Amino acid sequence: MPPEHAYAPGAVKALLLAGGFGTRLRPLTLTVPKCLVPVGGQPLLSWWLDALEAAEIGTALVNTHHLRDAVTAYIDAENARRSLHLIESYEPDLLGSAGTVHANRRFADDAEVVVVIYADNLSTIDLGNMLEFHKAHGDPFTMALFRTEFPSKCGIATLDSDARIREFVEKPACPTSDLANAGVYAINAAAWREIADMQAFDFGFDVLPAFVGRMRGYAFDGYHRDIGTPQALAKAQADAPTLTRSVS
């Protein structure tokens, strides 16, 4: 039987934010899109596609910009072999994480929830469990959280006893928590349209503060790492063979 709080087939879509330049990883990202950098023998984006399929999410929008042709070819190849259907959203000029939502306002018209994922992280988050948590609490927005050793370098959330986010600060000088934004959100369709109508640029600075008090934090204990620097990528490469991805 499906989980108690599972969504109906087709009710959940995803947005994979994958258009960035990956400037800190140059010269590698001069020829390889950051989202396609190999980690553990496969492109980083493939880890996320596996996670989406494990959660039975059937449709995902992928924004593209830097080295678009390589990402488009990857999308075409994955569509030919997966049950997951990928749709490209090309941005001649990068729109920002919230700007991509604005440009695709109607993407949520036939969905209950959209999962937004920053695809430049390596993570073992169980999206199915996160979606169960999201449906159970009833607020329009869920932010995935992981514990960080460096809270002053992250977006930090403070939760109340009901896991509702009472404060969110980007890179705080005096952090009040070690729960960091994992760059994975579950957003109800109405909230997706609200974000689109903000005509904002960035989730961290422009969108998340507007949902403080009406979004919950989903704290998970799995592996989560931004691969944005050569040192972080090397650590992810070393860790990848030991990682077990959860299956919903």
Side-chain angles (χ1 to χ4, degrees):
M1 294 182 65
E4 180 182 354
H5 300 296
Y7 289 90
V12 181
K13 292 182 172 182
L15 166 63
L16 292 160
L17 293 165
F21 288 96
T23 52
R24 293 176 297 164
L25 283 175
R26 290 176 178 171
L28 173 60
T29 48
L30 293 174
T31 56
V32 179
K34 186 178 180 182
C35 65
L36 299 186
V37 167
V39 180
Q42 64 177 338
L44 180 60
L45 198 56
S46 292
W47 289 76
W48 285 113
L49 302 191
D50 290 346
L52 293 176
E53 287 191 326
E56 300 182 354
I57 296 172
T59 302
L61 189 73
V62 183
N63 80 316
T64 62
H65 175 73
H66 179 56
L67 300 176
R68 177 201 182 186
D69 289 349
V71 184
T72 300
Y74 172 83
I75 289 172
D76 290 344
E78 293 301 292
N79 276 335
R81 75 179 190 90
R82 291 183 183 265
S83 58
L84 174 66
H85 178 57
L86 302 176
I87 302 166
E88 181 187 8
S89 178
Y90 173 58
E91 299 177 8
D93 298 303
L94 279 175
L95 301 173
S97 50
T100 299
V101 175
H102 174 69
N104 294 278
R105 187 184 191 280
R106 300 198 61 183
F107 182 63
D109 283 0
D110 57 350
E112 292 184 50
V113 176
V114 179
V115 177
V116 177
I117 295 169
Y118 288 68
D120 52 1
N121 297 311
L122 178 65
S123 182
T124 60
I125 187 172
D126 187 324
L127 297 177
N129 282 350
M130 181 179 175
L131 285 165
E132 290 179 43
F133 172 83
H134 178 73
K135 188 167 188 178
H137 67 62
D139 279 351
F141 200 119
T142 296
M143 178 195 298
L145 301 168
F146 71 103
R147 296 199 178 273
T148 178
E149 298 178 25
F150 309 103
S152 63
K153 297 181 180 180
C154 303
I156 296 298
T158 303
L159 310 183
D160 66 14
S161 59
D162 294 320
R164 184 171 282 113
I165 295 175
R166 291 302 184 186
E167 181 182 59
F168 179 80
V169 182
E170 277 289 347
K171 300 179 180 178
C174 299
T176 58
S177 164
D178 65 350
L179 288 172
N181 180 4
V184 181
Y185 314 124
I187 302 171
N188 288 0
W192 172 276
R193 290 187 284 270
E194 178 182 344
I195 294 165
D197 292 343
M198 290 179 184
Q199 301 187 42
F201 182 80
D202 182 72
F203 261 85
F205 288 101
D206 302 323
V207 172
L208 299 181
F211 283 89
V212 168
R214 53 192 181 118
M215 65 177 166
R216 307 290 179 106
Y218 172 76
F220 70 100
D221 294 325
Y223 185 92
H224 192 85
R225 182 178 295 279
D226 175 7
I227 66 147
T229 66
Q231 296 79 12
L233 176 58
K235 186 66 170 71
Q237 294 281 21
D239 294 340
T242 70
L243 301 182
T244 300
R245 282 167 283 179
S246 299
V247 177
S248 299

